[in-house]
Structure formats: structure tokens, C-alpha cells
Amino acid sequence: LIGLAKSIAKEPENKDFIQLLGIAQFQNKQNEEAIKTYGRLEEIALRENDTTNLLTAYSVIGDLSHEIGNSKQSYAYYRKALKINPNYNPVLNNYAYFLALENKSLKQAYQMSLKTVESEPDNPTYLDTFAWILFLMDKPVEAKTHLKHAMLYGGKESAAILDHYAEVLYALKEYDLAFIYW
């Protein structure tokens, strides 16, 4: 961090250094500082009309805001990101998943998640989000289908996906199988 701080002091507008500092802060659980750092990236990107770095800033601030428990700010930044690119899968997925975790706006979450699955049908993370939303919408049979697909493409490596699969199986009264996945 010290080396990055020195580099930024020499080149305060260097967007690569700023992003590296934000990543380092995030990795060190300094989320508030990382939000400020990405806020600097946002300011520079706005001034330069740099939509690529602006999209990065908005999506990362959205993620970090969720990490610190500020859903309102998180969703506001996700909406800003989607104005730049309405098909940006990382934001669509995270926004949809966080809404689902709060059991809010499930129809909106469904539509966002559906876009990710349609554009990347073998992405286990996107399939998991979509399946979990289906489950919350009381569609466990459809959820199971998508979770099985996720398992084929690496989902077995994710504790969250395994847990979601077990929850769906349990809801379908497939108790023995559910306990195996738990």
C-alpha cells in the first residue's frame, strides 16, 4: 500500500494506480477507504468522459457498498452502471442476487438474472443466482434444473451453490439427497 500511495502521489490522476490501491484496500478489508478510492476514479472518469472506468467505479462501489451493509447506496450505483451498459452481467448478477437475498423486487431480479443466463448459459454463478430467484418465487422444480446445470459447469466447487441446491432439494422433499449436498 505504501508503494502505491507514493506512486499516486507522483501521478494523482493515474487510473491504474488508483484501481490497484482500491483492490489492495478491499483485500485488506478496508472497504470504506476502497469506496473513497473508487470515488476518486469516478471523479476522474466523469471529468474525462471515460465510460469504461466509470462503469468499473460504479460496479465496484456498488459491490463495496453492499459489503458494508449499505444496500441503498449499492443499488444506486448499480443503477448508474446499468445506465452505461444495461447488459453488464457482473452488475446484473450482483444486483439481482442482493435483491434476492433481501427477498425484494423478485420480478426485477428475475429479469436481470435472466439476461445473464441468456448471455452466458454455462456460468455457474449466474445459473445459481437465477435458480435462487426461481426458488424464492416458489418455482423449486425450475430452480433445481438450473442448479443441476450449474453443477455441471463448476458449481460443485461453490459452497453457496451446494447449499442452494440442498435447500431446493429439501423443498422438493428429496431429503436424503438434500442432506448429502449439505
Side-chain angles (χ1 to χ4, degrees):
L1 288 174
I2 294 170
L4 275 173
K6 288 179 182 180
S7 297
I8 291 173
K10 290 179 184 175
E11 297 183 54
E13 301 285 306
N14 186 309
K15 293 178 276 193
D16 292 331
F17 289 158
I18 292 169
Q19 285 188 65
L20 287 172
L21 177 60
I23 291 167
Q25 290 167 328
F26 170 73
Q27 290 175 336
N28 285 296
K29 308 281 189 237
Q30 299 170 342
N31 293 337
E32 296 280 354
E33 291 84 355
I35 289 171
K36 290 177 189 170
T37 299
Y38 277 96
R40 285 181 57 206
L41 179 65
E42 175 187 7
E43 291 170 13
I44 295 166
L46 278 169
R47 190 172 59 243
E48 295 178 359
N49 199 27
D50 176 357
T51 56
T52 300
N53 277 301
L54 196 55
L55 182 60
T56 297
Y58 289 161
S59 62
V60 173
I61 293 171
D63 291 345
L64 290 166
S65 296
H66 176 76
E67 284 288 317
I68 64 168
N70 189 341
S71 294
K72 186 176 180 180
Q73 179 172 299
S74 176
Y75 299 156
Y77 273 92
Y78 287 153
R79 285 189 296 275
K80 287 181 180 186
L82 292 173
K83 282 182 183 174
I84 294 171
N85 183 348
N87 298 310
Y88 190 55
N89 283 343
V91 168
L92 287 167
N93 182 73
N94 289 356
Y95 194 0
Y97 187 67
F98 296 149
L99 285 171
L101 287 179
E102 295 179 8
N103 209 2
K104 290 172 52 174
S105 305
L106 291 179
K107 287 180 183 175
Q108 178 188 5
Y110 174 90
Q111 290 301 320
M112 289 188 291
S113 186
L114 179 61
K115 280 184 170 183
T116 67
V117 171
E118 288 176 342
S119 76
E120 293 186 45
D122 298 330
N123 183 313
T125 301
Y126 299 164
L127 288 163
D128 174 58
T129 296
F130 189 60
W132 193 244
I133 293 166
L134 287 168
F135 177 70
L136 293 173
M137 295 175 84
D138 202 27
K139 298 179 181 182
V141 174
E142 290 179 53
K144 179 182 175 184
T145 300
H146 291 284
L147 285 166
K148 284 174 74 172
H149 190 90
M151 302 289 265
L152 293 173
Y153 289 92
K156 291 182 237 168
E157 306 302 316
S158 166
I161 293 174
L162 293 172
D163 184 58
H164 288 163
Y165 192 45
E167 290 284 342
V168 168
L169 292 169
Y170 192 85
L172 293 170
K173 299 184 178 8
E174 296 181 38
Y175 303 120
D176 291 340
L177 198 52
F179 286 115
I180 289 170
Y181 282 98
W182 271 320

